[in-house]
Amino acid sequence: MQEFQLNGINLHIPTDCLTETLIQAITSGRYEQQESVALERHLRPDDRVLDLGAGAGYLSSLAAGIVGGANVVSIEAGPQMIAALQANLERNEAADATVVHGAVVGNDFADTHIEFHSKQAFWASAITSENAEGNSRVSRVPALRIGGLLTEHQPSVVILDIEGGEARLCDTSWPDHVRLLIMEIHSKIYSNQVIREIFDGMSRSGMTYMPWGTRGETVVFQRITPPNA
């Protein structure tokens, strides 16, 4: 287990889930930097946060510092990260956050479980191995349909970083209670056509590009408020 301090958050991460590149990203402050800036800029105390791909719990812990742990739901697919995620939330005074083990899938996914490819660097783990480098540990994890998660947990803010699984979720119907979506778009995985489909899908759900907080591959989408609302 290795210990890190990042932006006031205390993280303990299993050594076998780290690589030198990932360690450097954390110690230099680059780890989830763009997402944390967007989160801190836009999150309000009355928000409820759904963190899809919570990893070690860094963004979930930041969110809990603003909205309280009881208003944070952390979803993580990696079996090797669940205990670390829960422990990190507890050590950052967010023990009452909800932790759910599973991989987020589209509403049309038929099975109850899905294969998950765990990389040594936990941030590169994904439900697809197409973009993965090197070996991975494959396990069957619960499949969590996005529609069910949104209905059950009623988030107003969603953080979405699931390493190439985002595109299949953006064509879903995002309910009105979601006012903000912070998403990492993986341009090394997605073609320009797929990125366009992501934006088109969010537009159909009444969400549009928000320039404040968007930086690099981290894109913020906001709910469009009707003129007479």
Side-chain angles (χ1 to χ4, degrees), residues 53-224:
Y58 172 57
L59 295 177
S60 289
S61 296
L62 280 178
I66 300 171
V67 305
N71 291 309
V72 174
V73 179
S74 305
I75 309 295
E76 173 56 33
Q80 77 282 14
M81 289 303 297
I82 288 296
L85 168 60
Q86 184 71 67
N88 284 331
L89 288 167
E90 292 173 1
R91 64 175 47 92
N92 288 290
E93 301 182 359
D96 49 351
T98 299
V99 173
V100 181
H101 179 219
V104 186
V105 297
N107 293 327
D108 59 350
F109 190 79
D111 203 349
T112 59
H113 288 71
I114 189 170
E115 285 190 351
F116 186 76
H117 298 255
S118 298
K119 307 297 296 180
Q120 180 177 353
F122 70 86
W123 66 354
S125 301
I127 58 176
T128 174
S129 62
E130 293 176 1
N131 61 302
E133 296 180 1
N135 297 323
S136 61
R137 292 169 287 178
V138 180
S139 55
R140 295 268 296 172
V141 304
L144 308 174
R145 293 171 185 80
I146 182 63
L149 290 172
L150 295 174
T151 298
E152 179 180 359
H153 299 294
Q154 296 286 303
S156 56
V157 175
V158 176
I159 307 166
L160 179 55
D161 182 7
I162 53 175
E163 300 302 317
E166 297 82 5
R168 63 177 60 88
L169 306 184
C170 290
D171 200 30
T172 192
S173 178
W174 288 76
D176 290 346
H177 58 75
V178 178
R179 70 171 186 88
L180 203 76
L181 173 65
I182 301 170
M183 177 192 302
E184 182 172 351
I185 295 179
H186 301 274
S187 61
K188 292 182 179 179
I189 303 173
Y190 296 138
S191 66
N192 289 336
Q193 176 63 32
V194 173
I195 293 175
R196 176 182 175 179
E197 291 170 359
I198 289 174
F199 275 76
D200 288 349
M202 297 311 302
S203 181
R204 286 190 293 272
S205 280
M207 307 285 282
T208 191
Y209 172 82
M210 158 69 85
W212 297 281
T214 292
R215 184 178 180 183
E217 298 206 341
T218 298
V219 178
V220 179
F221 293 96
Q222 63 176 330
R223 173 72 54 191
I224 301 171

Side-chain angles (χ1 to χ4, degrees), residues 22 43 50 53 69 71 84 132:
L22 178 49
L43 201 59
L50 178 62
N71 291 309

